Structure formats: C-alpha cells, structure tokens
Amino acid sequence: MESAPAIFAGTVFALFGAGLLLWTGVRVAHRAPVAQGVSPVASATLAALAGAVALLLAAWCFTRL
C-alpha cells in the first residue's frame, strides 16, 4: 500500500504531460495560438517543456515503486 501514492502521482503526471504535449502539437499543426497574447514560438516552447517535465516526473514517480 505504500506504493499507491507513487502510482497515483505518476499516473496524474503522465496523463497531464501526454495531454499537454498532444494539445500543443495539434495547436501548432493547425497554426492556432497556444496562448493568447503571447509569442507563438515562446508559448509552444514553454508548453512543450512543461509537458516534457511532467512526463519526466511521471517516470521518476514510477521508479519509486
């Protein structure tokens, strides 16, 4: 039962990271803004970086099992 929090956190991070990367990729592919009022390159880069960090945190959580 001690691994349940790590599984839950890893799942949340994985779903968030994958969803954010997928959403950012679709927005960039359609040349739609990722964030209103911000440079398209900067917002896409920051969103992709946040998604990648979330996936890295998910991997780290899953290694704690």
Side-chain angles (χ1 to χ4, degrees), residues 34-52:
V34 176
Q36 293 288 62
V38 182
S39 166
V41 174
S43 61
T45 302
L46 186 61
L49 183 64

Side-chain angles (χ1 to χ4, degrees):
M1 291 309 285
E2 293 177 3
S3 63
I7 293 170
F8 177 75
T11 303
V12 169
F13 280 129
L15 288 174
F16 175 74
L20 184 59
L21 286 174
L22 178 67
W23 179 80
T24 302
V26 168
R27 299 294 288 180
V28 169
H30 287 104
R31 298 199 186 279
V34 176
Q36 293 288 62
V38 182
S39 166
V41 174
S43 61
T45 302
L46 186 61
L49 183 64
V53 168
L55 287 177
L56 286 174
L57 284 171
W60 181 79
C61 287
F62 289 136
T63 62
R64 299 290 146 205
L65 300 177

